[in-house]
Amino acid sequence: MATKEEKKSAIRKEIIDAASVYSQNLAGKTFLYVYGNEYFEVTFPVDHFLHLTGVETGLPAKEFYKNAKKGKLTNNQFYFTDRHPYANAKKKLPCLKRLTELTNEMVCILRDMRTVTIIYKLSVTNLEFTLGLTENVDANGEKVNNLYLPMSLRVEDSSVAKVMAEML
């Protein structure tokens, strides 16, 4: 059985691998989603990578991403909490490495996906994992532009099942 340190090292490697994929395929890019007669755009800022990993850190989000991208993230630079437990990070990180699937394959668009803490006006899913999106707003809650930002990566989430059930 793996030790706690070995498990954390494995998560560290997954974060670094995911940062490489994010950097090459998503960071700084904007994607257009068209469904029916509607559309929206999603952009992937580097400071939103941390939200998707499922870990906590004392580092600013951009520094966390930079360290991960350069392979310099250490085990001491992230940790787990009740809000962000090890089990969630272990589930999320393989999906985070596959996040580009939501930009270049057929997906479902969900409206009003509810979680315990937030209602995501829009989400994108391949039915294996779901990217919860938020409007791009400033610190005062004022809309900056019409772009959506990735805020949460949900894996096998009952929230998706609830939205799908409501659609039927």
Side-chain angles (χ1 to χ4, degrees), residues 7-136:
K7 288 179 179 179
K8 193 164 186 186
S9 291
I11 292 292
R12 177 187 158 277
K13 182 183 180 328
E14 292 280 316
I15 292 170
I16 289 170
D17 291 348
S20 176
V21 171
Y22 195 90
S23 169
Q24 292 171 19
N25 302 299
L26 300 170
K29 295 182 181 176
T30 302
F31 296 87
L32 176 68
Y33 290 84
V34 178
Y35 63 109
N37 294 327
E38 299 183 54
Y39 68 92
F40 62 94
E41 292 178 290
V42 178
T43 191
F44 290 85
V46 297
D47 60 342
H48 279 245
F49 174 79
L50 172 60
H51 288 292
L52 308 177
T53 64
V55 302
E56 297 265 0
T57 184
L59 298 173
K62 285 183 181 179
E63 188 176 339
F64 178 89
Y65 171 75
K66 185 177 86 174
N67 288 355
K69 183 177 132 184
K70 291 182 177 180
K72 295 184 178 188
L73 185 71
T74 69
N75 286 4
N76 295 330
Q77 292 177 325
F78 67 95
Y79 54 93
F80 308 104
T81 62
D82 288 344
R83 189 167 160 240
H84 291 105
Y86 165 80
N88 282 2
K90 187 176 178 182
K91 281 192 329 187
K92 285 183 177 196
L93 288 164
C95 296
L96 181 53
K97 291 191 297 189
R98 295 175 49 203
L99 196 59
T100 55
E101 292 175 23
L102 300 182
T103 64
N104 60 22
E105 294 181 10
M106 186 72 74
V107 295
C108 293
I109 307 301
L110 305 176
R111 290 178 179 260
D112 302 323
M113 183 181 76
R114 298 172 191 269
T115 68
V116 174
T117 56
I118 192 170
I119 298 173
Y120 294 97
K121 185 175 175 180
L122 290 171
S123 300
V124 179
T125 185
N126 64 3
L127 303 180
E128 289 182 59
F129 55 91
T130 303
L131 187 61
L133 306 170
T134 59
E135 292 181 306
N136 190 8

Side-chain angles (χ1 to χ4, degrees), residues 30 41-43 134-137 143-149:
T30 302
E41 292 178 290
V42 178
T43 191
T134 59
E135 292 181 306
N136 190 8
V137 296
K143 201 170 186 177
V144 174
N145 54 35
N146 289 325
L147 298 175
Y148 282 82
L149 306 172

